[in-house]
Every structure is written in structure tokens, then in C-alpha cells.
């Protein structure tokens, strides 16, 4: 009996070792296969394999068109309503009448908003490699409006889109009647549209990580690979950068909407990581985009106006207005004197 029990234990130990070795071998083969597949994907580029690249491009385009057609067919009611609304707007745009003045006004307003939204997208898109559109466009615009307000003693000059030169109104106003809040209200539309553009520019990392998680494939993006490595070494991270990234990831993952809102509302050079985190953990789109839009276009634009990559030099909208405010600068100089 004892010998039979000993034999059974030895066979059990042998089987567990073989199973362990088999799992180890399977994982090694799987990682090796993933490595080869990744190398093959990297070699599929237009200048190395033009025919294969074009073939995959055409196949992917056909697949996407098929999926979009199916989705549109399932939402055909919404599609019909959108087409009818577009037809009505087109008719109103081209038919002459007294309504044309309102049409022209809305057209100018739409292109003005689209201009600032586009500049905001250019500022935040590209995982930290965006254009300094606040320093180049929004900051000088806020400064020019502030200077014009104190020069004219009024903010009643033409509404945007402004002409080449801001023309002062004819009515007389009392000296010192310009308030800081009046200037903030004058540039609020441009600042909020620019902030909304920065929120839209944060979507590519989210969609990239979400698609990679749903497909189960390893993306070739370096930011995503860094994020995967950070998740693997989260508990042993000691340096400040790794701990900061881990803190952002934990805040977004555990707090949800309000965590994303907090990360989007403060100067945060690691917000691209928040987008990747939300995509990786399959956070709903409207939860991520809604919190990002509120944080960047509403809260952040009234506190500070830019997180300009790659230096993350935050320039407050209030700071720009105060810097170019005549009586506030005079008071500061008097206090210093």
C-alpha cells in the first residue's frame, strides 16, 4: 500500500512538472510568435512592400465600408432625419430672403468656432508633439482684446469674427468702467472652443488603446508599450515619473468620471496616459470624452489656458488679461514702488 501511494505521488509530481514545462513552453512559443508577427507588421510599409501594403489597405477599406453600411442601416431613422435636416439647411442657405442676414451671421460664427477648435486639436494631438497654438494664436488674441478694451474704455466693439483692426464704439464711456470679468466674457467663446479642440485631440490615444484591447493584438505604439510595462512593474516602481504615471492610472481607473475630470482640469503633461488608460480598461466613450470636454473647455480654460507640449508651460488666461490690464499693472507698480 505504501509503495503504491509513493508511486502515485511520484506520478502526480511528474505530471505537474510536465504540465508546468508545457505551460512554460506554450508561453515561450506564444511570445515568439507575437514577436515574429510584430516584425512582419513593421515590414509591411509602402516603400518595402508596396503591393502587399496596398492589398491590405484595400481589404481594410472594404471591411470598414461594410461595417459602416451595416451600422447606418441599423440607424436608418437617424440617418433619414439627418439628411432631411441637411436638405432644409441647404435650402435656407441658398434661397434669398430676409433670413439671409441670420444665415450669414451663423456662417461667420460657425467658421470662427471651427478655426479655434482646429487650433486646439493641433495643440494636443500627437501624444505631446502638438503645435504651440496658445502661444501663437490664442494668447495674442486675448492680449489684443484686453488692450483694445482699455483703449476704448468698452468691450462693445464688433463681435467675432473680428475685422483686421478692432474698431472702438462711438458712444462715450466713463473712465475705468472696464472690469476683469467683462474682458473674460469677451474672449470666453474663443477660449472654450480652443479647449474643446484640445479635448478632441486627446481621442486618438483612447481609440488606439481601446482597439488594441478589444482585438487582443499588441499595438506598435511606444506609448502603449510603455503603459503595458508600467502595469507590469507598477508595485516595484520607485522613480518619480513612474509613480506619477501610476497615480494617474489609479485615479482614472478607480474614480472614473471625476478622476478623468480632475486630470483634465489641471496642468497635466501625463493626460495622454489617462486617455490610454481609459481605452485599455474600456471606459465608455462618453464618460471619457464628456469629462475631458468639461475639464478642458470649461474648468481649465477659466483657470489656465494651455498645457503647451512638450514643455508643459501653463499660461493662464487670467494671467494674460492681468498682464495687459492698464490699471492692474499700475496698481502692481505702485505696490512695488
Amino acid at each position: 500500500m505504501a509503495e503504491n501511494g509513493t508511486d502515485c505521488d511520484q506520478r502526480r509530481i511528474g505530471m505537474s512538472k510536465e504540465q508546468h514545462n508545457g505551460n512554460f513552453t506554450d508561453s515561450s512559443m506564444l511570445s515568439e510568435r507575437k514577436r515574429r508577427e510584430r516584425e512582419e507588421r513593421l515590414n509591411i510599409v509602402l516603400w518595402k512592400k508596396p503591393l502587399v501594403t496596398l492589398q491590405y489597405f484595400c481589404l481594410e477599406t472594404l471591411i470598414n465600408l461594410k461595417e459602416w453600411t451595416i451600422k447606418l442601416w441599423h440607424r436608418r431613422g437617424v440617418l433619414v432625419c439627418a439628411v432631411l435636416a441637411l436638405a432644409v439647411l441647404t435650402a435656407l442657405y441658398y434661397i434669398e430672403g430676409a433670413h439671409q442676414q441670420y444665415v450669414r451671421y451663423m456662417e461667420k460664427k460657425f467658421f470662427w468656432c471651427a478655426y479655434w477648435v482646429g487650433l486646439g486639436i493641433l495643440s494636443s494631438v500627437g501624444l505631446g508633439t502638438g503645435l504651440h497654438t496658445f502661444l501663437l494664436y490664442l494668447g495674442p488674441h486675448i492680449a489684443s482684446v484686453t488692450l483694445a478694451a482699455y483703449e476704448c474704455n468698452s468691450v462693445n466693439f464688433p463681435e467675432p469674427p473680428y475685422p483686421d483692426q478692432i474698431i472702438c464704439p462711438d458712444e462715450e464711456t466713463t473712465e475705468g468702467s472696464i472690469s476683469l470679468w467683462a474682458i473674460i466674457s469677451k474672449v470666453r467663446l474663443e477660449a472654450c472652443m480652443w479647449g474643446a479642440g484640445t479635448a478632441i485631440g486627446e481621442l486618438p490615444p483612447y481609440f488606439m488603446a481601446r482597439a488594441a484591447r478589444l482585438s487582443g493584438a499588441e499595438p506598435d505604439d511606444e506609448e502603449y508599450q510603455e503603459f503595458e510595462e508600467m502595469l507590469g512593474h507598477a508595485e516595484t516602481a520607485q522613480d518619480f515619473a513612474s509613480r506619477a504615471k501610476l497615480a494617474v492610472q489609479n485615479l482614472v481607473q478607480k474614480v472614473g468620471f471625476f478622476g478623468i475630470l480632475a486630470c483634465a482640469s489641471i496642468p497635466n503633461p501625463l493626460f495622454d496616459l489617462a486617455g490610454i488608460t481609459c481605452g485599455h480598461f474600456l471606459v465608455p466613450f462618453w464618460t471619457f470624452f464628456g469629462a475631458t470636454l468639461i475639464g478642458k473647455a470649461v474648468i481649465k480654460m477659466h483657470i489656465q489656458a494651455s498645457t503647451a507640449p512638450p514643455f508643459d508651460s501653463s499660461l493662464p488666461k487670467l494671467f494674460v488679461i492681468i498682464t495687459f490690464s492698464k490699471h492692474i499693472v499700475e496698481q502692481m507698480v505702485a505696490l512695488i514702488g
Side-chain angles (χ1 to χ4, degrees), residues 59 100 132 162 180 257 266 278:
L59 292 175
Q100 283 297 323
H132 295 256
Y162 297 104
L180 192 65
F257 179 88
I266 59 175
C278 293

Side-chain angles (χ1 to χ4, degrees), residues 226-250 253-254 273 281:
E226 181 182 353
F227 172 75
E228 289 284 357
E229 292 177 0
M230 186 199 70
L231 290 180
H233 303 84
E235 297 181 356
T236 59
Q238 298 294 331
D239 57 297
F240 176 77
S242 298
R243 285 182 293 176
K245 293 179 180 180
L246 182 61
V248 171
Q249 183 257 329
N250 288 331
Q253 183 183 1
K254 295 179 180 179
L273 183 64
F281 290 104

Side-chain angles (χ1 to χ4, degrees), residues 97-108:
H99 65 280
Q100 283 297 323
Q101 56 178 339
Y102 303 104
V103 171
R104 300 305 173 193
Y105 174 78
M106 294 302 298
E107 181 183 11
K108 290 181 179 180

Side-chain angles (χ1 to χ4, degrees), residues 49-330:
K49 298 180 179 180
L51 297 179
V52 177
T53 304
L54 292 175
Q55 178 186 0
Y56 282 125
F57 171 77
C58 294
L59 292 175
E60 186 68 21
T61 303
L62 293 175
I63 293 172
N64 289 332
L65 288 176
K66 180 182 177 181
E67 292 178 353
W68 294 342
T69 303
I70 295 173
K71 290 180 180 179
L72 289 176
W73 176 252
H74 289 314
R75 296 172 176 84
R76 52 187 177 275
V78 178
L79 179 62
V80 170
C81 293
V83 171
L84 290 176
L86 182 61
V88 171
L89 292 176
T90 303
L92 291 174
Y93 184 81
Y94 286 103
I95 295 175
E96 296 295 334
H99 65 280
Q100 283 297 323
Q101 56 178 339
Y102 303 104
V103 171
R104 300 305 173 193
Y105 174 78
M106 294 302 298
E107 181 183 11
K108 290 181 179 180
K109 210 74 166 177
F110 172 78
F111 283 112
W112 182 251
C113 294
Y115 172 75
W116 289 110
V117 169
L119 290 177
I121 294 174
L122 291 177
S123 177
S124 62
V125 76
L127 293 173
T129 59
L131 188 65
H132 295 256
T133 54
F134 178 84
L135 297 176
L136 296 175
Y137 298 96
L138 184 58
H141 172 73
I142 296 174
S144 65
V145 171
T146 305
L147 292 174
Y150 284 102
E151 182 70 22
C152 302
N153 288 323
S154 175
V155 291
N156 293 327
F157 38 81
E159 291 290 326
Y162 297 104
D164 295 335
Q165 295 180 351
I166 297 177
I167 303 173
C168 294
D170 295 332
E171 66 269 12
E172 296 182 358
T173 56
T174 59
E175 184 73 23
S177 61
I178 300 301
S179 64
L180 192 65
W181 181 253
I183 301 175
I184 293 175
S185 300
K186 191 68 175 178
V187 298
R188 181 181 289 118
L189 176 66
E190 296 87 336
C192 289
M193 290 297 104
W194 186 87
T198 61
I200 296 174
E202 301 292 349
L203 293 179
Y206 169 82
F207 284 122
M208 177 269 299
R210 183 181 178 87
R213 179 66 183 273
L214 291 175
S215 64
E218 291 186 1
D220 298 330
D221 188 85
E222 295 180 358
E223 288 279 342
Y224 189 83
Q225 294 173 7
E226 181 182 353
F227 172 75
E228 289 284 357
E229 292 177 0
M230 186 199 70
L231 290 180
H233 303 84
E235 297 181 356
T236 59
Q238 298 294 331
D239 57 297
F240 176 77
S242 298
R243 285 182 293 176
K245 293 179 180 180
L246 182 61
V248 171
Q249 183 257 329
N250 288 331
L251 180 65
V252 171
Q253 183 183 1
K254 295 179 180 179
V255 184
F257 179 88
F258 294 101
I260 303 170
L261 182 64
C263 291
S265 302
I266 59 175
N268 187 2
L270 303 176
F271 192 78
D272 289 331
L273 183 64
I276 296 176
T277 302
C278 293
H280 179 80
F281 290 104
L282 303 180
V283 174
F285 170 76
W286 288 112
T287 300
F288 170 73
F289 183 66
T292 304
L293 185 64
I294 295 172
K296 286 183 173 289
V298 179
I299 300 175
K300 189 176 181 180
M301 286 311 303
H302 287 81
I303 300 175
Q304 60 89 39
S306 175
T307 307
F311 304 106
D312 191 37
S313 56
S314 303
L315 296 177
K317 179 174 69 173
L318 287 175
F319 175 78
V320 176
I321 296 175
I322 290 173
T323 302
F324 290 89
S325 299
K326 181 180 178 181
H327 69 283
I328 295 178
V329 173
E330 290 177 351

